[in-house]
Amino acid sequence: MKQTGTMSNRIRIHQNNNNTPTSQTNGSSAQIPPSILVQGEERKSQRRRSSIHVPIPLELQRRRSSGSSVDSYSSYTGSSSDDDDINPREKEQQSSQGFKDFCVRNIEQHAFGRREIEIAEQEMPGLVALRKRAQDDKPLHGAKIIGCTHITAQTAVLVETLTALGAQVRWSACNIYSTQNEVAAALSEAGYSVFAWKGETEEDFWWCIDNCINAENWQPNLIIDDGGDATHLMLKKYPHLFNQIKGIVEESVTGVHRLYQLSKSGKLTVPAMNVNDSVTKTKFDNLYLCRESIIDALKRTTDVMFGGKQVLICGYGEVGKGCAAALRGLGCVVMVTEIDPICALQACMDGFRVVKLNEVVRQIDILITCTGNKNVVTRDHLDRLKNGCIVCNMGHSNTEIDVGSLRTPELTWEKVRSQVDHIIWADGKRIILLAEGRLVNLSCSSVPSFVVSITAATQALALIELYNAPPGRYKQDVYLLPKKMDEYVASLHLPTFDAHLTELSDEQAKYLGLNKAGPFKPNYYRY
């Protein structure tokens, strides 16, 4: 693993050159539907309204767990207007200013979306501070960024920050159900090329990413990805475009794992920044965001009373730690499964029983996966769950729960409310499945804007660094975010709490062997 040299002159942040090992997590590369790959390089004027018939591989169906409006297994999505059943690709869309380069559910919702963005912005002080400090310098002037992330009010603040710093952007969604339609409309009304709506099919999903990458008079030079799908599609279908970009910023476990696989096989021809393993991502987004949003998601979808419930959390990484702390605080009896003896020992020291799923599968009331792995909860486990058990996923990968095994004739899917399904067995037993196994907090609730501000500021700095780095600083490899960047992002958020840092004296700094301005911890420090 390589570590970086110095920050660009645009944002003067120093960093050291220590090498830092990183951990890898199991994941699988996305498979692009064949018809997407064979469309070729032609760009026709009516491309956005055309129909693409895509045979969806089983692995993709399981990973995305998507369903069209006529799929008897898909969740009710809470349609709010008569034209919600019309695929946005079949509509002629135009903003009030005549802008047409976008595809969203309903552009008329833009006023509601703008209010949500304004609310989020008030809770994102670090990202706003970065925007104010750097907007005169325009460190991203000339950058053309492909974004493939969750499209929420918080993401919109990042999009507008990148634009304020000089970038041009085109954006799609990394999850078929996490898009806030009104926010996508607000961005499109403001002149951003956004291709996303809640409830996309698998075919829609790849079509939207393709529209972001391949546009007239558009040569992307940066990618910001969450899951690696934009990176994967550009590499497979547009290798000539991929080889010309300056770098990739990836924030998910799954996407980072794919980048390491590409690097190991020699297929990564551009530098990439691993934001997922940055301190500001793992110790704040993964822990504090999940600690708050898991409760919100479960309450909104099931109205469950937590006191006394038997809860099993699969995985005791930062996400699992956050979920476990929140649920215990509300009176749940929390148990944990783990493969890692270190994480298992942490769970024991925190007062949680470490068990195997098979040992407790018949007694638990709530089952939450937080591993990033595949087939953590199998059909055999699901068959043995007690009546009324709530099943959901907080890990990034959509394959943690084997939802595909539930799509069989002997089981009945009963739509309850948006993103809530009863799966009913022949004997009358039913379980409550949330978001069809996708990320429950982003599919079924909101997330704390303040914590997203930390991650978004980290992503913005990573983009600035990759874009402004002199030739040769970054090779064709995956790099950890410099610790000095992590410290800078944290410092941007401290004024919110009226927090005042203690400064080292010259003598103290010399004794510790540190620069008075940081970084204050070695790269191997675990926090």
Side-chain angles (χ1 to χ4, degrees), residues 119-311:
I119 292 173
E121 194 173 82
Q122 294 174 16
E123 270 287 295
M124 302 182 75
L127 188 60
V128 172
L130 177 63
R131 180 194 302 179
K132 292 179 179 178
R133 293 185 186 188
Q135 64 182 356
D136 291 338
D137 195 36
K138 293 289 189 292
L140 289 174
H141 176 70
K144 295 185 177 181
I145 302 171
I146 296 293
C148 184
T149 68
H150 301 283
I151 297 182
T152 62
Q154 296 82 14
T155 302
V157 180
L158 172 61
V159 168
E160 295 184 343
T161 296
L162 297 177
T163 304
L165 301 186
Q168 298 178 46
V169 304
R170 297 177 69 84
W171 223 271
S172 62
C174 69
N175 183 293
I176 63 172
Y177 275 112
S178 64
T179 298
Q180 292 178 276
N181 286 330
E182 65 276 15
V183 171
L187 287 172
S188 300
E189 175 66 20
Y192 294 98
S193 296
V194 174
F195 297 84
W197 56 93
K198 186 173 185 177
E200 296 172 358
T201 65
E202 185 74 24
E203 182 181 345
D204 294 333
F205 173 80
W206 292 108
W207 180 87
C208 288
I209 298 175
D210 190 73
N211 273 262
C212 286
I213 296 172
N214 187 27
E216 295 178 4
N217 302 316
W218 173 257
Q219 175 65 58
N221 50 32
L222 287 171
I223 298 175
I224 178 170
D225 221 346
D226 186 343
D229 294 307
T231 300
H232 188 63
L233 179 58
M234 186 183 289
L235 178 62
K236 293 294 184 182
K237 187 180 178 184
Y238 305 107
H240 64 291
L241 295 179
F242 184 83
N243 293 333
Q244 296 180 52
I245 66 174
K246 288 180 174 287
I248 302 164
V249 172
E250 173 61 57
E251 74 153 330
S252 75
V253 171
T254 306
V256 165
H257 181 63
R258 291 173 182 161
L259 289 174
Y260 284 127
Q261 288 177 325
L262 289 174
S263 177
K264 186 177 181 179
S265 63
K267 297 179 181 179
L268 185 64
T269 57
V270 299
M273 193 71 81
N274 172 5
V275 170
N276 178 73
D277 291 313
S278 66
V279 177
T280 44
K281 173 65 163 60
T282 58
K283 295 297 181 179
F284 294 92
D285 188 303
N286 290 9
L287 177 61
Y288 298 113
L289 183 147
C290 295
R291 191 174 71 180
E292 297 198 14
S293 60
I294 182 60
I295 301 299
D296 187 26
L298 289 170
K299 282 288 189 184
R300 288 195 195 197
T301 52
T302 66
D303 307 312
V304 64
M305 177 74 181
F306 290 109
K309 291 294 191 298
Q310 300 270 333
V311 178

Side-chain angles (χ1 to χ4, degrees), residues 343-354:
C343 293
L345 184 57
Q346 287 179 314
C348 292
M349 298 294 285
D350 288 337
F352 300 110
R353 277 186 62 205
V354 177

Side-chain angles (χ1 to χ4, degrees), residues 364-365 382-391 411-416 421-433:
I364 54 178
D365 301 296
L382 295 164
D383 284 340
R384 290 189 286 154
L385 290 173
K386 67 188 293 186
N387 183 53
C389 183
I390 301 169
V391 181
L411 298 181
T412 301
W413 284 58
E414 181 179 81
K415 301 172 185 178
V416 181
D421 291 288
H422 283 168
I423 315 300
I424 307 172
W425 271 252
D427 62 0
K429 185 198 87 170
R430 67 181 63 197
I431 65 171
I432 304 170
L433 179 65

